[in-house]
Amino acid sequence: MSEKVISDYNGYDYKKDFWENTGREYEDQADRMAIRKLLPKRMEKFADIGGGYGRLATEYLKRAHKVYIFDYSKSELKQAKDIYGDKVETRAGDIYKLPFKDDELDGLMMVRVTHHLKHLDQAITELYRVLKPGGVAVIEVANKRTLPKMARFITGRSKVNPFDKKVANYKDISKDGFYNYHPKYVEEIFDKTGFTTEKVLSVSNFRNKGLKKIFGTENLVKMEESAQQVLAPVRFAPSIYYKLRKPEE
Ligand SMILES: C[S@@+](CC[C@H](N)C(=O)[O-])C[C@H]1O[C@@H](n2cnc3c(N)ncnc32)[C@H](O)[C@@H]1O
């Protein structure tokens, strides 16, 4: 098997450095809005894959009887445990080899993780394996085919072709770089793995400093509410959310 990249969040305070007082309330609200629309109301066993410190836990704690937060980073998981205590069970490991049995979970989500995954197909196969037939996976994908990326390519400011289905690998986020995916490429993986796509949402449609200044977070969140569904068919947003189901046998 080819080499895997794990983006190491150990020792990085993702909560404080990425989310607190960093002007990302709109993005946080946009994620939550999508998750509320896509996650089943009641689940027995649910896992937040690459869940970090459990930023989004308040969206699923009431929906599931048993909640796991799974992540590679032990420092993120410790933070999750400090915040949620017995409400969650934390499990450490690598997405490419999940510590869950075949057909064990009836729900899972994976949000803001695909940009760290070099081998998305292998990760999706692993998510499929641990889901029960009939189970639901909510997966957020970092989109390479956004309007700003199209504009940068067409005007010659970027060499990354957003229309090309090939994975885009950017080098500058960390030593490992990060990955953006073309919606068609991802959807082919979902189909090939065996998932049925039940719903798609276009998320963080107005992720832009200028728009935040002009409209303010509150108004952007209101605009986002209808845009997630209306703009889903074009798939131009930086985040595309998928509600997938593993078919019943
Ligand atoms: C950007 S954070 C997202 C956290 C959370 N899902 C959220 O939206 O707030 C990405 C998380 O994925 C985890 N991660 C990245 N690659 C991983 C891998 N191969 N196996 C397990 N976790 C991984 C990181 O440790 C980090 O906590």
Side-chain angles (χ1 to χ4, degrees):
M1 198 175 276
S2 50
E3 126 273 8
K4 306 281 196 302
V5 176
I6 296 170
S7 294
D8 197 348
Y9 277 55
N10 278 305
Y12 167 50
D13 197 341
Y14 176 59
K15 179 171 183 282
K16 184 162 162 287
D17 295 346
F18 195 84
W19 288 109
E20 286 177 5
N21 305 314
T22 52
R24 292 192 172 98
E25 293 83 2
Y26 160 72
E27 287 84 346
D28 180 60
Q29 288 301 317
D31 281 336
R32 291 174 186 278
M33 210 182 268
I35 291 162
R36 275 175 218 150
K37 290 175 195 151
L38 301 180
L39 269 189
K41 295 260 177 295
R42 298 294 324 147
M43 291 169 287
E44 196 52 39
K45 274 190 184 182
F46 169 83
D48 185 358
I49 305 292
Y53 68 89
R55 172 176 68 100
L56 299 164
T58 46
E59 304 305 330
Y60 50 72
L61 279 175
K62 286 202 186 113
R63 296 175 189 241
H65 184 67
K66 173 84 192 173
V67 167
Y68 297 97
I69 298 183
F70 168 81
D71 204 279
Y72 178 75
S73 162
K74 291 194 174 140
S75 62
E76 287 295 309
L77 293 178
K78 181 181 178 309
Q79 235 178 336
K81 204 67 192 157
D82 290 345
I83 300 170
Y84 302 106
D86 290 344
K87 292 186 186 138
V88 300
E89 183 175 326
T90 55
R91 288 209 179 160
D94 184 5
I95 281 170
Y96 297 109
K97 212 166 178 275
L98 289 171
F100 297 103
K101 293 192 208 102
D102 292 359
D103 305 345
E104 182 173 348
L105 305 171
D106 51 359
L108 63 83
M109 74 177 200
M110 187 171 81
V111 172
R112 290 179 176 259
V113 176
T114 61
H115 62 288
H116 293 310
L117 302 179
K118 187 173 179 180
H119 306 280
L120 188 62
D121 52 339
Q122 292 171 27
I124 299 300
T125 302
E126 198 47 4
L127 298 182
Y128 188 89
R129 177 186 71 76
V130 301
L131 263 187
K132 264 187 194 153
V136 167
V138 171
I139 298 178
E140 180 270 348
V141 175
N143 186 11
K144 75 177 281 196
R145 208 192 51 161
T146 65
L147 288 176
K149 284 171 193 148
M150 288 181 201
R152 279 200 290 275
F153 176 69
I154 290 164
T155 56
R157 283 176 294 146
S158 166
K159 285 199 172 64
V160 180
N161 180 353
F163 306 103
D164 180 355
K165 277 204 297 182
K166 226 172 48 208
V167 181
N169 180 208
Y170 302 87
K171 300 280 182 203
D172 55 350
I173 197 174
S174 71
K175 281 180 253 96
D176 300 331
F178 68 103
Y179 304 92
N180 276 188
Y181 289 93
H182 192 292
K184 275 236 156 59
Y185 175 86
V186 170
E187 288 159 26
E188 281 170 16
I189 292 177
F190 295 153
D191 286 348
K192 221 166 76 190
T193 310
F195 277 117
T196 312
T197 302
E198 290 197 346
K199 199 168 172 128
V200 182
L201 292 176
S202 170
V203 176
S204 275
N205 295 282
F206 311 111
R207 185 186 293 174
N208 175 281
K209 271 194 192 137
L211 291 178
K212 282 182 193 172
K213 256 199 196 133
I214 297 166
F215 293 103
T217 296
E218 209 176 310
N219 288 321
L220 284 189
V221 169
K222 279 186 199 145
M223 286 153 65
E224 174 79 15
E225 180 70 57
S226 41
Q228 290 196 343
Q229 179 86 51
V230 173
L231 298 178
V234 292
R235 316 241 200 295
F236 285 164
S239 277
I240 309 293
Y241 271 70
Y242 294 89
K243 177 181 180 181
L244 309 171
R245 197 178 291 274
K246 179 168 174 173
E248 299 275 2
E249 279 161 337

